[in-house]
Amino acid sequence: MPHVLYVRFHPTPAEDVYQGLLALLGELTPVVEALPPDAALADVRGALRYFGRDAAGLAEIVRVRALARYGVDCTIGVAANPMLARMAAQEARESQATQVTQATQEAQEVQGAQEADAPGPGGGRSRRPAGSVRTVPGDPDGVAAFLARKPPTALPGVGPATARTLSAYGLDSTERIAAAPLSTLQRILGAATARRVHAWAHGIDPMPVTPNAPARAMGAEHRFRHDELDPVRRRRALLTLADGLGGRLRTSGQVAAAISLTVRYADRSTTTRSRTLAEPTAHTPALTAAAYALHDALGLQRARVRSVALRVEGLMDAELAPHQLTFDPADEKSRRLEAAADRARARFGASAVRPAGFLDVA
């Protein structure tokens, strides 16, 4: 039976609002795992009988209360485990964005026709995707149908490189990965990775919702003093955020497997893009390069940007993470300098060493 909620708040709330939203979830269940800056997991298994509702009904309660108390909408995935709930929320969000784009285009066409007949001042207002609840059935057939046509990259931890490897063997969908024998996947991906991917393709995620556990994600946001048109200043803001997140990761002894960028515009609409890193890392240049790539891919030539936010996900213990050895002296020197800068910051404060392009927080 579905009992896990993956709640994605939008737009990205401020820190104090986010804490209030976590407390709101805590009114339904004590099993809440924060995924800052804009998401959370909740296991409502123990609340179903108390409230006399199924998990989807509780998700609707969360939406109503979040809107009423904080003016924040949310997209909620409901499923039997965190992985499926997250995928359900992502699918709902993408569907909403598509519908809003189509509706906006139609409205602009109608407005254009009206202005042609009666010219005058005007200006369309872009629409933000509304929240919704998407539920993945709890039975095996329902899970298989939900996963069937999704690409390999829809699975957690499967990045573009792994997806290309699988596609080279004809495994270009989750359905085909699930149908492949485990021994075949092990020859392609290796034993450990194959077991994880095989389980994910069948909708199996053994990870529980863990309250008060070390965060699986870290986030930071930079709000500009004025709507920002200059891409150079936006990149400086990303450098500043990546530098701060890298330092926090290294201090906590963690590395990140993925990074996401959220851009908030002057009309309060947002765009979020993410990518899996080549390897789990806390190295600031690697995080910065990934953030720059996400930003440049958006093509924001004339966009009025209100804020940018970075989020690193898939956190794990640095000592347990795989690391590709390199004989590049430049990379080795960069890591030594980074370690020295961390020591200086620990002794003299966070402002002791900063990147040359550091942008002061607005």
Side-chain angles (χ1 to χ4, degrees):
M1 176 183 295
H3 60 272
V4 175
L5 310 184
Y6 176 83
V7 186
R8 184 75 178 269
F9 304 108
H10 47 85
T12 302
E15 178 62 27
D16 57 336
V17 174
Y18 179 70
Q19 293 302 320
L21 292 166
L22 292 179
L24 184 154
L25 289 172
E27 297 172 3
L28 300 181
T29 173
V31 189
V32 177
E33 181 176 343
L35 302 173
D38 61 355
L41 282 166
D43 188 329
V44 297
R45 185 166 16 197
L48 302 180
R49 179 177 295 182
Y50 180 84
F51 286 94
R53 294 172 178 263
D54 61 8
L58 294 179
E60 293 291 355
I61 291 177
V62 171
R63 280 198 65 208
V64 171
R65 291 183 179 180
L67 276 170
R69 297 183 190 178
Y70 300 100
V72 175
D73 206 346
C74 47
T75 300
I76 305 177
V78 183
N81 60 55
M83 180 196 74
L84 291 174
R86 184 191 295 266
M87 293 174 70
Q90 181 63 30
E91 181 180 87
R93 188 73 171 146
E94 292 173 354
S95 175
Q96 294 155 15
T98 300
Q99 293 173 4
V100 167
T101 299
Q102 293 173 348
T104 301
Q105 291 174 346
E106 293 173 0
Q108 289 174 344
E109 292 174 359
V110 171
Q111 182 182 6
Q114 292 174 344
E115 290 177 350
D117 294 335
R125 181 186 296 271
S126 62
R127 300 171 55 189
R128 287 183 292 166
S132 67
V133 176
R134 172 76 164 89
T135 302
V136 179
D139 61 286
D141 291 340
V143 172
F146 172 74
L147 292 172
R149 297 184 179 180
K150 296 190 180 302
T153 51
L155 299 174
V158 177
T162 302
R164 285 194 296 270
T165 300
L166 290 168
S167 296
Y169 289 87
L171 305 177
D172 55 0
S173 70
T174 303
E175 182 178 29
R176 292 184 175 180
I177 295 172
L182 178 57
S183 58
T184 300
L185 292 175
Q186 288 176 332
R187 287 194 295 271
I188 297 172
L189 301 176
T193 302
R195 284 194 296 270
R196 290 195 298 269
V197 172
H198 187 261
W200 292 334
H202 285 86
I204 299 171
D205 178 17
M207 294 296 293
V209 179
T210 309
N212 302 320
R216 296 184 189 178
M218 288 183 184
E221 181 179 15
H222 182 92
R223 299 189 180 190
F224 297 103
R225 292 187 176 88
H226 308 286
D227 296 339
E228 189 57 69
L229 294 168
D230 185 359
V232 174
R233 285 186 60 81
R234 294 199 296 263
R235 287 170 66 92
R236 288 180 61 192
L238 293 177
L239 170 63
T240 302
L241 294 176
D243 180 67
L245 288 174
R248 289 166 59 189
L249 286 170
R250 294 188 297 275
T251 299
S252 63
Q254 296 178 294
V255 291
I259 187 170
S260 65
L261 165 66
T262 298
V263 178
R264 182 182 297 177
Y265 305 102
D267 62 0
R268 295 189 177 182
S269 64
T270 59
T271 299
T272 299
R273 295 290 185 270
S274 61
R275 67 167 49 189
T276 301
L277 299 168
E279 66 177 17
T281 186
H283 191 35
T284 292
L287 298 175
T288 304
Y292 284 170
L294 290 170
H295 173 266
D296 295 346
L298 293 177
L300 305 177
Q301 288 87 353
R302 298 183 179 180
R304 296 168 59 87
V305 175
R306 182 71 49 82
S307 68
V308 290
L310 286 182
R311 177 182 177 188
V312 288
E313 303 173 314
L315 304 191
M316 64 185 74
D317 192 323
E319 295 182 355
L320 302 178
H323 175 61
Q324 178 65 49
L325 296 177
T326 175
F327 296 100
D328 181 3
D331 180 74
E332 183 179 351
K333 180 179 179 181
S334 174
R335 293 179 185 273
R336 288 202 307 269
L337 289 172
E338 187 173 70
D342 288 343
R343 290 193 296 271
R345 288 170 172 170
R347 183 174 181 180
F348 301 109
S351 61
V353 182
R354 290 179 170 180
F358 191 90
L359 193 64
D360 289 331
V361 177

